[in-house]
Amino acid sequence: MDMIKCTNCGNYMQSVVKFCGSCGTPNTAPPAPEPAPVPAAPDTPAPVEPVTPSPVPVVPAPVPAEPAAPEPVVPPSVPVAPIVPPPAPVAPVVPPPAPIVPDVPAYAAPAVAVPPKAPFSLFGLDIKKLAIIGAAGIFALAALIFALIMLMPSQYKSFRGSISVAQTENDRFFVVLNKGANIKVDGVCVDYEVNIDGTKAVLLVSDDNSISGNTLYHVSGGKISRISEDVRSYWFASSGNGVAYTKYESGSETAELYLWNNNSSRIISRDVMLNSRAVISPDGKTVGFVDLDDNGPIGAFYTGGKPTDLGTNFIPIGISDGAKYVYYTREDALFVQRGTNEGSRTRLTGEFRGVDGFNSDMSQIIYSSNSRSFISNKGGDPSALTGHVRDFILPENTAVFHGQRGTVYGVNNFKNTFYLNTDSAVIRIDGRLETERVQGSVSAAFLANDGKTLTYMRNGRIERMDGSKTGAEPVRLVGDGDVWSFVATAKGDAVFYINSDMDIRYQKGTGRAVDIAYDVSWGTHLSLFKGATLFYIQDNDLYSTSGGRGVRIGGLKGDVIGTASDMFNVYVIVRDGSEELYYHSTNGKNFSEIR
């Protein structure tokens, strides 16, 4: 095989090589057996055969790939730069000698004669310009990927609204909404529940404050609609789209069970046990209940327009959409079953004490036995957690539904979440649903919106740490051991706290604490509006602060005796003589009386 000399650097190379392995200059010698190109006129550049555009974008710099693909076979006498194969065939590119490393493809188009040292172009672009464009494309792609990651849904679902009830008179109350006008309802609100994202609610209302024969209402979109009269009990779906409820006649040993959704009710059982509890799926279309017959209580569930029996003495305690997972007890043992498949029945524990919580679609259950809490994922065998779950530590504004049959959390998956156990330790559930102790002797803890920054109180001191890292060192924020209660901002960058002198103080990071108020009332509750602004009572007046000197809120007729706030509202109770007045604000500045 013929050896030729590079016209640029003088390096010897085989004639079949397309580019110099030393400097990257194109090989101008024609490969055999093709005839040599026709010499061009003295002032006319040699003809260049057009290059077929490749649909794959050109990457100007090599990027490591895993696993690395084998390099193309090259004769050992020719030095070759490291090669990163492109994802699909591309036309050969000859980068400048530095800092770009030449990319020698394993295949190539037929060699063409190119004048020595002439600027190399691809698709009519100078290679340097092409490299700049390619680099800009990489940065744009990286920015797009970063933006997509930032916009990816969190594992935590957020509240989208807020609904509360204010019984302003003995025979009248108001449904307080964060959007739109408040709804006036005649009667006494016996009970109410708000769905998981705070946008819908059900109300059980009595005209005479009796324990039965009440009227059930549904609130959605700022409107209220009547579901049924003569209702004894109800169970609300966490989505807010369905309600199961019972009606009964005096003297009967059983009740009728109805399912309401899509603005209509249908009866699904006429023999439900009195005082038994039903369970309803998140979407409000599937119900678990207990019937009574001659053999005793029969557990059952209704889905897809028909009922299915579970067996004697089985008591449903939770059910997912379409009965994909059915949780029930029998003789203090906890079971899970997948739909109607009895062969899938799994006994989770024989020492069932109660449900600590479900995730949002109820594919995971955390429950307590006599020894500790456990988690079952998608009906599988349980994994033991550390201690008993006391409280889950969730970011501000995480959706939560407190139903009559346990709590459903706005958490897609309990992996990489935190809880405080009954031994006052902060525990992290990792990606394998195993637990790791983060910190002990903790009396209260807050989780920032990033899902990993923990701010907690320990032995009267406030500390902060990255709870997602094993062995992370805490940063002491307030170290005098004199903290009685505190609340952290949603970002986790600052705290408001009350000391033993009942003074409210504010501190951002490890900076100097700022005095906000002195000698506030015992039992003052710290809660933040929109995760950053504190409302508090001083000398029977209402004040607000975001870290500086408090600002007095005017326009309240009487002595302020109570206040609370969330991401959407600020609520205030005022005593005017013997009368109590209720105020409400959606912006934290303008308050209106609820009447």
Short mmCIF file of all heavy atoms in Angstrom, two decimals, residues 8 175 181 237 269 384 393 553 560:
data_model
loop_
_atom_site.label_atom_id
_atom_site.label_comp_id
_atom_site.label_asym_id
_atom_site.label_seq_id
_atom_site.Cartn_x
_atom_site.Cartn_y
_atom_site.Cartn_z
N ASN A 8 0.74 19.47 4.62
CA ASN A 8 0.74 20.54 5.64
C ASN A 8 1.87 20.37 6.64
O ASN A 8 2.66 21.28 6.88
CB ASN A 8 -0.60 20.58 6.33
CG ASN A 8 -0.68 21.68 7.38
OD1 ASN A 8 -0.22 22.79 7.16
ND2 ASN A 8 -1.26 21.35 8.53
N VAL A 175 -70.08 29.42 54.05
CA VAL A 175 -68.98 28.67 53.44
C VAL A 175 -68.01 29.70 52.86
O VAL A 175 -68.36 30.44 51.95
CB VAL A 175 -69.49 27.72 52.35
CG1 VAL A 175 -68.33 26.93 51.76
CG2 VAL A 175 -70.55 26.79 52.89
N ALA A 181 -67.69 34.93 45.93
CA ALA A 181 -68.44 35.34 47.12
C ALA A 181 -68.63 34.17 48.07
O ALA A 181 -68.66 33.01 47.67
CB ALA A 181 -69.81 35.88 46.69
N ALA A 237 -65.16 11.38 48.62
CA ALA A 237 -64.01 11.00 47.81
C ALA A 237 -62.95 12.10 47.87
O ALA A 237 -63.27 13.29 47.87
CB ALA A 237 -64.43 10.75 46.36
N SER A 269 -76.78 -0.56 47.94
CA SER A 269 -77.08 -1.62 48.90
C SER A 269 -78.25 -1.19 49.78
O SER A 269 -78.35 -0.01 50.15
CB SER A 269 -75.87 -1.93 49.78
OG SER A 269 -76.20 -2.90 50.76
N ALA A 384 -40.84 -2.76 56.80
CA ALA A 384 -40.89 -2.15 58.12
C ALA A 384 -40.25 -0.76 58.08
O ALA A 384 -39.21 -0.55 57.46
CB ALA A 384 -40.16 -3.02 59.14
N ILE A 393 -43.80 14.92 57.27
CA ILE A 393 -43.21 16.24 57.11
C ILE A 393 -43.29 16.59 55.63
O ILE A 393 -42.57 16.01 54.81
CB ILE A 393 -41.76 16.28 57.62
CG1 ILE A 393 -41.69 15.75 59.06
CG2 ILE A 393 -41.20 17.69 57.55
CD1 ILE A 393 -40.27 15.57 59.57
N ILE A 553 -53.08 46.17 61.14
CA ILE A 553 -54.18 46.04 60.19
C ILE A 553 -55.40 46.74 60.78
O ILE A 553 -55.87 46.41 61.87
CB ILE A 553 -54.52 44.57 59.91
CG1 ILE A 553 -53.28 43.80 59.44
CG2 ILE A 553 -55.65 44.46 58.89
CD1 ILE A 553 -52.70 44.28 58.14
N VAL A 560 -59.29 41.72 68.55
CA VAL A 560 -58.92 40.51 67.83
C VAL A 560 -58.58 39.41 68.84
O VAL A 560 -57.73 39.61 69.72
CB VAL A 560 -57.72 40.76 66.90
CG1 VAL A 560 -57.33 39.49 66.16
CG2 VAL A 560 -58.05 41.87 65.90
#
